Amino acid sequence: MNAPIVVDSVAALRAQVRDWRQAGLGVAMVPTMGALHDGHISLIRIALERADRCVVSIFVNPTQFAPTEDLDKYPRQLARDLDRLRDAGAHLAFTPGVAEMYPTGFATRISVGGPSSGLETDFRPNFFDGVATVVAKLFLQTAPDWAVFGEKDYQQLCVVRQLCRDLDLPVEIIGAPTVRDARGLAMSSRNAYLGEAELDVARQLNVILRRTAAELASGANEIRATSIATEALAQAGFQKVDYVAAREAVTLAPWRCDRDGRLLAAAWLGTTRLIDNVEIRST
Ligand code: PAF
């Protein structure tokens, strides 16, 4: 595979995408914060099934981190990421610095309603404003036909869809299934913070969610099932459970048991916060 073109300025990104468009090529984008793992590679694969060219952005976006969060220690490994992009067949890596994305005087914030309320927002109040603002910028800078987001960050996927609908951004959003290890652990850049024993505990998150989703699908009481799941996570070794919640699959409004839903959870292992979600298939 050829190494991807690497650009760190919006001007160079636009010039390259313009050349591709003039040649009649379709462009897909995969926004990332780097520390690429197999989950990201699956997004690139899906992008390349649709598009002639795939742009991957690598930008650890400061506006989606609270001052107490892991912005400084978030894994940064550009050389390794570029190797992975080459192997995956991505065509361009957009690696802007903070000053390119947020020049002095930057003063705009996009706030999406609907699916952003509750869940992550209850614990990370500014997170989705930061995500929506940077994703809107990336879309306007790149102008892709498609953009691929993982279902692992399910609420983010719903928020990005809402953003594109509401602002008429001409990008088709593709949701990609979560990539898991052989024992069900969702791939996440934050897994790098975990030791072997913690990884074993982390794997229980998906086990407990799947079990609870099956119970909900067969008519279990939602409040009871989610509190049993919360208790089971604590028993498994999670020190703190932020939420286990059933939601309607598209709007993330409270789940109605006659509809397909999503069971979402966030829980802490030491100083690492993990999220996961599974489908609730109504019968
Ligand atoms: O999911 C992520 O990695 C980030 O939230 C995103 C979408 C790249 C925006 O910074």
Side-chain angles (χ1 to χ4, degrees), residues 30-34 40 57 59-61 64 74 127 130-131 134-135 138 149 153 156 160:
V30 178
T32 81
M33 298 206 299
H40 294 113
S57 59
F59 178 61
V60 183
N61 174 35
Q64 68 191 70
Y74 197 85
F127 174 68
V131 169
V134 81
V135 167
L138 290 167
F149 289 80
D153 297 291
Q156 170 172 279
V160 169

Side-chain angles (χ1 to χ4, degrees), residues 126-142:
N126 300 317
F127 174 68
F128 285 121
D129 286 3
V131 169
T133 304
V134 81
V135 167
K137 280 176 69 74
L138 290 167
F139 285 176
L140 292 166
Q141 292 160 346
T142 312

